[in-house]
Amino acid sequence: MTQTSPPGWHPDPGYTGFGPRQERWWDGTQWTDHLRVPPAAARSRRIRIGAGITAAVVVLAAVGGGVFLLNDDSGGSNDSASSPSASPSPGPDRQRGGPGDSGGNGGDRGDGGSESPEQDQPEIEKGYATDLASGISIPVPDGWKGESGMGAGVTTGSYACPGDTDEKCVRGGVFSAPAEALKLTTKTAKATAEKDIKTNAEASYGEKIYGGITSHEELKSEAVTVAGQQGYRVRWKVVTKNGDDGYVESLAFPSPLAKDMLVVVRSGFDINAKAPALSVLDDMTKGIKAASGGGSGGGTDA
């Protein structure tokens, strides 16, 4: 098949090897920006998080005020300017070749080739960082940088970490991933947030980049509604040995894609005049929504 192939969903020719292969919409003449999770997963409102996704999605090795890393399965890392998204937008070369064209990596036509790209599937939206694996979109405030993919990140204010100047820290960061990808096996939003907060704090302001946390104060431990789901959040204020102190928060709630999949949103904000106000985090939390086209799988009690 060439550029005369009829419109349809096909394996994404721009697939980079990170996470599971998605499908991209071919409009009959060129590849569009529409992406979707393979139909079988979407119909069941479920995305199984396997080892491949766990490696490619934010391992969130360090977040928030700490190092912004998106780890791949080779152990490398990328900062917010170069972190891998779900798939690059199709370039001119890919636009010239249609599904199955010998010049690309296309494959057989996907399920429902005559369907419209406006499917009940997660899509990346302007002004949001979209977590395709979790089915949520996080608002990107003015002046911040957003990264979409199998996991999402929103950051501002990059600088050299005080404990390791070869690493880059951020003044504020909000990151999401399925709980399973972060190896969290707790079954409720409350238990997941309570379990994750310590890991989040240590990753964001821990020994290597801030000399360690000398003490912490719990500021919030409460139920909260996020993207129409009943979730739970825990927020700490942490005191570090080197550099700025910070706020960290772990938020957990059921995915809009599947009520039995929990999403974790880790946040970290430095405490200093250059860092964003903590009220920005509250506004971003209120603005988290089900990804456009992602549907709603219903919630569970926190």
Side-chain angles (χ1 to χ4, degrees):
M1 293 188 289
T2 66
Q3 63 265 35
T4 60
S5 301
W9 290 107
H10 303 271
D12 181 19
Y15 179 60
T16 62
F18 290 104
R21 182 182 290 275
Q22 297 182 79
E23 294 180 330
R24 187 178 290 275
W25 183 259
W26 170 258
D27 67 6
T29 59
Q30 66 179 2
W31 295 105
T32 71
D33 290 334
H34 293 290
L35 291 170
R36 74 171 185 178
V37 176
R43 277 196 294 268
S44 67
R45 292 283 190 268
R46 183 170 309 177
I47 301 174
R48 295 297 183 187
I49 308 301
I53 299 181
T54 302
V57 178
V58 280
V59 174
L60 298 184
V63 301
V67 191
F68 178 16
L69 297 182
L70 291 181
N71 284 357
D72 62 22
D73 50 8
S74 65
S77 65
N78 300 279
D79 63 22
S80 57
S82 60
S83 55
S85 61
S87 169
S89 297
D93 290 342
R94 284 194 291 275
Q95 290 176 353
R96 285 198 294 267
D101 186 86
S102 60
N105 294 322
D108 293 336
R109 197 158 132 217
D111 175 68
S114 61
E115 301 174 23
S116 163
E118 303 302 327
Q119 293 287 319
D120 192 21
Q121 313 290 341
E123 296 177 357
I124 296 174
E125 302 177 67
K126 184 178 181 180
Y128 288 86
T130 299
D131 181 342
L132 298 172
S134 301
I136 65 167
S137 290
I138 303 172
V140 181
D142 290 344
W144 290 52
K145 181 176 294 185
E147 292 290 330
S148 298
M150 304 306 285
V154 183
T155 62
T156 189
S158 176
Y159 64 101
C161 296
D164 185 348
T165 56
D166 289 334
E167 298 285 1
K168 291 293 184 182
C169 288
V170 291
R171 296 294 181 192
V174 178
F175 305 85
S176 71
E180 189 176 346
L182 301 177
K183 300 182 180 179
L184 291 164
T185 58
T186 41
K187 302 300 182 183
T188 67
K190 183 176 187 292
T192 300
E194 291 176 337
K195 184 177 180 63
D196 186 66
I197 188 65
K198 182 178 180 181
T199 301
N200 182 7
E202 290 177 347
S204 297
Y205 292 96
E207 188 74 29
K208 181 180 179 181
I209 50 178
Y210 284 87
I213 296 171
T214 59
S215 66
H216 78 270
E217 175 188 357
E218 185 173 277
L219 302 180
K220 289 182 181 290
S221 183
E222 61 184 11
V224 62
T225 300
V226 185
Q229 311 299 312
Q230 294 302 304
Y232 201 87
R233 67 179 170 188
V234 179
R235 180 182 296 174
W236 286 2
K237 177 181 179 182
V238 298
V239 177
T240 66
K241 189 177 297 184
N242 300 321
D244 296 321
D245 298 335
Y247 298 110
V248 291
E249 179 174 289
S250 289
L251 167 67
F253 56 95
S255 166
L257 288 177
K259 65 182 181 179
D260 57 349
M261 185 207 306
L262 288 172
V263 181
V264 172
V265 177
R266 290 179 175 176
S267 305
F269 279 43
D270 284 355
I271 302 176
N272 84 9
K274 296 180 179 180
L278 195 54
S279 60
V280 175
L281 174 57
D282 292 327
D283 291 341
M284 292 175 71
T285 299
K286 291 176 184 177
I288 295 173
K289 65 177 186 176
S292 177
S296 175
T300 57
D301 293 336

